[in-house]
Amino acid sequence: MASAAAAAFLPAFLTRPVAAQEMPLGIGQAGRRTLIKGEHILSQDKTIGDFTGDVLLEGNRILELGPEIDATDAAVIDAKGRIVMPGFVDTHHHQFETSLRSYLPNGIMYEDPTRPGEPNYLDDILGVFSRVYRPEDVYIAQLFGGLSQLDAGVTTVHDVSQIHHSPAHSDAVISGMQAVGRRGVFGYFEGYGPDLAYPQDARRIRDEYFASDDQLLTMLMGGEVYLPGVDPLELWRLGQELDLLIGLHVVGSLGMQETMDALIPHYTDKHLFIHMTGMSDAAWNRAQEVGAHISLSVPIEMQMRHGLPPIQKAIDMGMAPSLSVDVECTMTADFFTQMRSLMTVQRMFANQIALEEGPEEAPALMDVRDAITFATVNGAAGLKLDHKIGSLTPGKEADIILLDADALNVAPLNNAAGAVVTLMERSNVETVLVGGQIKKWKGAMVGHDIAALREQIVASRDYLFETAEVEVPLFD
């Protein structure tokens, strides 16, 4: 009764329901023009800048940006009160672990004698669970995890799938990524067991699935330096033979510094170094010299004992690192968490130096625009996709997200970039386009039965835990 009485005194425009705009048909198809109208644009293109206005698409590409675009023949997306920006780019994500979400919330990478019996990543996730995955478990984890990130505005992923126990497992990874319908880089990393065809199966995979680079999915060669009995240079040379990027984990706390130093002459601009914690100045200097890319997973690096995230080191060397979520068995895969973690960690160290030694001695404080750049432009460049994505630039493909700035956790909007980094979370991601096609519309995923997929991943989870002879630690 009180609510009804209060509503009686409100203006009509505050009490009547808002009519939902129907999803325009044919968006993303060749020749079809789409006008995203009336939004606050964070273009991530320095020559275009940020402004309130419109974005015009044609087919899968961005055609024009401007304060007010006249396109009477275009389908219109009303974006008033929305922030429009490029989709987020995740440069390192173990998507097969989606089924193991939150299993390892307190875990670190390896066994710690002060924590007897505690599960850890290397022994339990890779050493136990990953060994019992069937191709169908791989597929549903890829699909469900990919849709979840797409729902959160991550339009591109590099999937580090260390699950290639057989060619069928590899095919399942690719099929799952294809079914999501977002842009991705298939990372061909190691596997285990009698049917293992790694690394030689890279040639078949490249020929069968990635003969063309003009598609949503491309390929990267896993080139780890820690695999027993495998010469990393064999992996790196295979990647070079197939003209692929080469990705690897570089973690000082796992004793990799000496090996990485020995490999310094072989670094190239097609290397993607994940974490880069605890490395020598010589390794850093060479990585910077050749243009290798650094992928940071700041929350995981802090949580799981990789070592201090080398944010400031990379900045000081003039490098442009990207962000990545790493493992959902321990931490969320949304990019709002990534950006806030990056910014607060860098500012924590810089602020402490300012307090102890004076502001003149401290590094520059990272700001919200820097954080967005790490999450978009830098990721696209690191995956060699910046000619296609990463900014709202005419000619690039339309990987675009619309963020609700009228939402309860954001309004009133006073600073667009600030709202994205310091206030928003996945519920603010209202609409998502990949290659001009709508994948999420007004808060709902398009083209997938999420309830049915949830049943499948729960069934897969049950199989994995039962086969691994591990209890689901629901209340541990």
Side-chain angles (χ1 to χ4, degrees), residues 90 114 167 189 196 213 222 237 239 248 250 265 274 281 325 348 378 435:
D90 177 358
T114 69
F189 284 73
L196 181 67
D213 290 329
R237 290 178 184 127
L248 58 149
V250 183
I274 300 165
D281 286 342
V325 303
M348 175 187 70
N378 292 4

Side-chain angles (χ1 to χ4, degrees), residues 46-117:
K46 292 180 180 178
T47 65
I48 294 173
D50 305 330
F51 59 94
T52 299
D54 305 335
V55 179
L56 181 63
L57 315 179
E58 185 170 77
N60 69 340
R61 296 190 180 275
I62 299 167
L63 191 63
E64 181 184 353
L65 293 88
E68 188 166 351
I69 298 174
D70 183 16
T72 56
D73 63 329
V76 176
I77 297 176
D78 181 4
K80 186 178 180 181
R82 304 299 180 260
I83 294 170
V84 174
M85 60 175 286
F88 300 122
V89 181
D90 177 358
T91 55
H92 156 229
H93 185 179
H94 301 265
Q95 289 192 141
F96 77 91
E97 295 170 13
T98 304
S99 311
L100 306 176
R101 282 173 167 171
S102 76
Y103 170 71
L104 204 66
N106 304 308
I108 62 173
M109 279 192 299
Y110 40 77
E111 186 177 5
D112 180 345
T114 69
R115 306 169 78 239

Side-chain angles (χ1 to χ4, degrees), residues 15-46:
T15 58
R16 64 173 176 255
V18 178
Q21 181 189 2
E22 292 186 4
M23 188 174 79
L25 299 176
I27 290 181
Q29 295 178 1
R32 175 65 154 153
R33 300 215 303 172
T34 304
L35 184 64
I36 307 175
K37 189 165 185 60
E39 68 272 19
H40 308 304
I41 299 169
L42 299 177
S43 73
Q44 289 302 105
D45 184 322
K46 292 180 180 178

Side-chain angles (χ1 to χ4, degrees), residues 250-437:
V250 183
V251 184
S253 60
L254 294 179
M256 296 182 185
Q257 185 185 111
E258 183 177 349
T259 302
M260 289 300 294
D261 282 349
L263 290 166
I264 282 175
H266 304 282
Y267 294 5
T268 73
D269 66 338
K270 299 195 88 172
H271 275 91
L272 188 156
F273 295 145
I274 300 165
H275 304 304
M276 200 65 177
T277 57
M279 291 299 109
S280 69
D281 286 342
W284 274 98
N285 289 336
R286 181 61 174 169
Q288 189 273 341
E289 178 185 2
V290 301
H293 185 74
I294 309 299
S295 172
L296 301 174
S297 306
V298 177
I300 290 295
E301 288 154 5
M302 295 189 295
Q303 173 92 347
M304 298 186 74
R305 205 173 290 176
H306 292 65
L308 291 176
I311 303 167
Q312 196 61 52
K313 179 76 170 179
I315 293 172
D316 289 345
M317 297 191 70
M319 303 174 80
S322 60
L323 300 180
S324 62
V325 303
D326 205 345
V327 293
E328 282 194 89
C329 59
T330 299
M331 193 72 69
T332 177
D334 82 89
F335 253 53
F336 301 100
T337 296
Q338 296 300 318
M339 290 187 292
R340 279 194 278 275
S341 297
L342 169 77
M343 184 171 163
T344 53
V345 169
Q346 190 276 338
R347 291 174 70 101
M348 175 187 70
F349 283 111
N351 284 329
Q352 191 62 31
I353 293 171
L355 291 171
E356 293 177 355
E357 304 177 26
E360 299 81 4
E361 303 301 319
L365 293 172
M366 180 176 290
D367 65 28
V368 291
R369 290 182 181 276
D370 297 327
I372 293 175
T373 297
F374 274 56
T376 55
V377 176
N378 292 4
L383 297 177
K384 305 297 186 189
L385 294 172
D386 49 323
H387 62 294
K388 289 186 175 183
I389 60 166
S391 65
L392 303 185
T393 301
K396 288 192 177 183
E397 296 190 23
D399 289 9
I400 299 174
I401 57 177
L402 279 66
L403 307 176
D404 185 0
D406 284 342
L408 191 62
N409 63 322
V410 177
L413 180 66
N414 296 309
N415 183 289
V420 172
V421 176
T422 68
L423 295 178
M424 288 189 173
E425 31 92 356
R426 65 184 304 136
S427 69
N428 295 104
V429 181
E430 184 181 80
T431 296
V432 178
L433 291 82
V434 175
Q437 296 189 355

